[in-house]
Amino acid sequence: ATAEIVVEILSPGERRGEKLPFYAAQNVREYLEVDLAHRTARLLAHHDGTWEPIDTSTVLDLSVAEVDALLA
C-alpha cells in the first residue's frame, strides 16, 4: 500500500522537492509542500513519471489557495 497524498512541512535548510524522487518511487499520487519560512505552498500531482503543479487536490477537498490563505 502507498499514500495517496503526502503533506510535508519543510524543515529549515531543506530544499524544495528534495524528496519527490522517493515519493514517485512509492507511487504517491499527490504532494503538498508547505514552506513556513517563505509562507508558500505548492501542490503537485504525479503523472507518467513527472510531477505537475495542480490547483486543487483530487484526494482531499483542498486547494492551494486555501492553504495559502492560512499562511497569510
Side-chain angles (χ1 to χ4, degrees):
T2 189
E4 292 291 311
I5 187 169
V6 169
V7 178
E8 183 171 15
I9 310 299
L10 294 182
S11 299
E14 189 173 7
R15 292 187 324 253
R16 287 179 47 150
E18 188 172 327
K19 298 176 186 166
L20 288 176
F22 172 79
Y23 296 138
Q26 303 305 313
N27 296 314
V28 171
R29 284 180 36 200
E30 293 181 357
Y31 172 77
L32 175 61
E33 180 182 82
V34 179
D35 185 339
L36 295 176
H38 294 101
R39 301 184 110 28
T40 60
R42 69 177 181 155
L43 179 62
L44 305 173
H46 188 239
H47 295 290
D48 300 323
T50 62
W51 291 97
E52 300 290 334
I54 57 174
D55 293 324
T56 303
S57 172
T58 61
V59 176
L60 300 174
D61 185 20
L62 184 70
S63 71
V64 175
E66 290 172 298
V67 177
D68 283 340
L70 293 172
L71 295 170

